[in-house]
Amino acid sequence: MLEHARRLLPFADFRVARIEDELPTGPFEIVVSALAVHHLDAPHKADLFVRVARIVAPGGRFVLGDVIVPDDPADMVTPIDDEYDQPSTIADQLHWLTDAGFVAHSAWIDRDLAVLVGAYPLGDRQNLNRSPIPGWRPHGAEPTVFHESASAW
């Protein structure tokens, strides 16, 4: 899959990493995550959003496409594994994105899938060294995910 992406986007830098690991040094104009964040519990999602905010350039975007907990339980149609999958509501994720410093909104929703966008405002970068999980450090308990960005991730 990555080799195909490299052929299509030769100017991009694609890397394989664990979502809990230290993120690449930014700044990046766009950071994209697809179907990965739902593997994290709520505090680790909030922490990830803070870590992403640290590497997104002012005026940049964080685009998150993932499984969500829909308002109507009948809309939960994507097969999930209760041991590995921990989707959250759109409201919770928008709250964590906002707490991380993004101006966030839902760009697309279809049943239990959504695309959320966090825009990092132009201006000073304050509160980027905090973490909602005191003492939290990356670990290797989550599945390997692909991080992709046209900037250089």
Side-chain angles (χ1 to χ4, degrees):
M1 182 178 349
L2 283 179
E3 288 308 315
H4 180 71
R6 286 184 180 110
R7 283 192 302 276
L8 292 174
L9 301 167
F11 55 86
D13 178 4
F14 295 97
R15 300 178 189 193
V16 177
R18 289 177 144 350
I19 203 165
E20 316 86 349
D21 291 346
E22 183 176 336
L23 299 176
T25 303
F28 299 101
E29 294 174 8
I30 187 166
V31 174
V32 177
S33 174
L35 299 173
V37 173
H38 72 275
H39 293 289
L40 300 175
D41 63 17
H44 287 99
K45 285 182 184 110
D47 181 72
L48 174 66
F49 297 167
V50 168
R51 293 185 299 123
V52 170
R54 290 182 190 139
I55 64 169
V56 172
R61 303 284 186 272
F62 175 36
V63 179
L64 170 64
D66 218 324
V67 179
I68 52 108
V69 175
D71 292 334
D72 181 351
D75 285 338
M76 196 74 193
V77 296
T78 302
I80 61 169
D81 180 327
D82 290 335
E83 186 176 342
Y84 297 106
D85 300 320
Q86 302 178 56
S88 298
T89 65
I90 289 176
D92 284 343
Q93 292 182 78
L94 292 175
H95 175 80
W96 300 323
L97 287 164
T98 300
D99 281 353
F102 292 102
V103 176
H105 71 280
S106 56
W108 177 85
I109 305 166
D110 185 19
R111 300 182 85 170
D112 62 352
L113 297 172
V115 175
L116 308 179
V117 177
Y120 202 88
L122 296 169
D124 61 358
R125 299 179 64 77
Q126 56 187 358
N127 297 320
L128 295 183
N129 292 319
R130 65 184 173 84
S131 171
I133 308 172
W136 183 80
R137 295 284 183 253
H139 59 83
E142 298 297 326
T144 300
V145 296
F146 298 100
H147 299 283
E148 305 171 4
S149 166
S151 291
W153 184 330

